[in-house]
Amino acid sequence: MRRLAVVLLAGTAMMPAQKHPTKAGVFDYYVMSLSWAPDFCQGKAPDDECGQHRGFVLHGLWPENFDGTFPENCPTKLTASPSLIPEMPAAIVPHEWQTHGACDVAGGTPAMFFRKAAADFHHIKIPAQLQQPAATVSLKPADVATAFATANGAGSAATSFTTACAGKEVDVRICLDKNGLLTRCRIKSDCAANTPLKFLPTN
């Protein structure tokens, strides 16, 4: 499971190693992951990241394959500056480039990848009830997916949206084709279907 918190990134080294392709540009679609910042920031000092009272932030734009594998750690000598994309928490920018972004296109650069990621992020419309809520919003996973589908005019394409749960942190996963258009997700929610997800207020 790919996670937002930097402290959890280090913990992934303890997970069993999986073999994934490492050739840039060879994948089927993207998974864009949005993380609910108030969950991550709960109890943390209001520093540059957690003092902005943001709702969804960009966790990542991940190349993915239909068979459940995904390219990662494709060879690159380029590094990404943490300040390259304000839509993403600065601390995870270098990791997201090295692990996922370098696999986007052969010969790609951090600037190219994060420019695309930011454009895709801003193309997605956030449901009204999750735009800077002043009180906690509780929604079941299926209702989150439906709300995003409705907000984005997807109609029956609710299968383009799913959720991921990591403790108390909530991610919304959005599946996009290589042109940035909504496509059907091949990944399933790992959130308990009948347990409401709690989106803490942004204030």
Side-chain angles (χ1 to χ4, degrees), residues 2 21-32 60-65 70-76 78 95-120 176-180:
R2 294 169 282 197
T22 58
K23 186 175 182 180
V26 181
F27 61 94
D28 296 318
Y29 68 107
Y30 294 100
V31 173
M32 182 166 65
L61 182 68
W62 305 325
E64 193 87 16
N65 289 315
F70 49 86
E72 63 177 1
N73 296 316
C74 297
T76 181
L78 303 177
H95 166 86
E96 289 298 317
W97 161 252
Q98 178 62 58
T99 307
H100 307 292
C103 296
D104 184 29
V105 296
T109 67
M112 291 168 55
F113 173 69
F114 287 115
R115 186 162 56 245
K116 172 180 175 51
D120 287 345
L176 306 170
D177 66 18
K178 290 188 175 183
N179 295 315

Side-chain angles (χ1 to χ4, degrees), residues 19 21 33 47 59 72 77 96 111 113 119 132 145 151 153 158 175 200:
K19 184 174 178 60
S33 185
D47 56 12
H59 180 171
E72 63 177 1
K77 295 181 179 180
E96 289 298 317
F113 173 69
Q132 303 295 314
C175 296
L200 299 176

Side-chain angles (χ1 to χ4, degrees), residues 15 33-34 46 81 88 92 104 108 111 113 124 128 132 146 156 158 163 169 175 178 184 187 195-196 201-202:
M15 297 177 65
S33 185
L34 308 185
S81 166
M88 180 179 287
I92 69 171
D104 184 29
F113 173 69
I124 294 297
Q132 303 295 314
T146 298
S156 62
T163 53
E169 295 175 18
C175 296
K178 290 188 175 183
R184 185 173 68 85
I187 55 175
T195 301
T202 56

Side-chain angles (χ1 to χ4, degrees), residues 125 142-161 182-184:
K125 296 179 175 61
D143 294 332
V144 174
T146 298
F148 267 87
T150 301
N152 287 276
S156 62
T159 52
S160 297
F161 302 88
L182 293 173
T183 189
R184 185 173 68 85

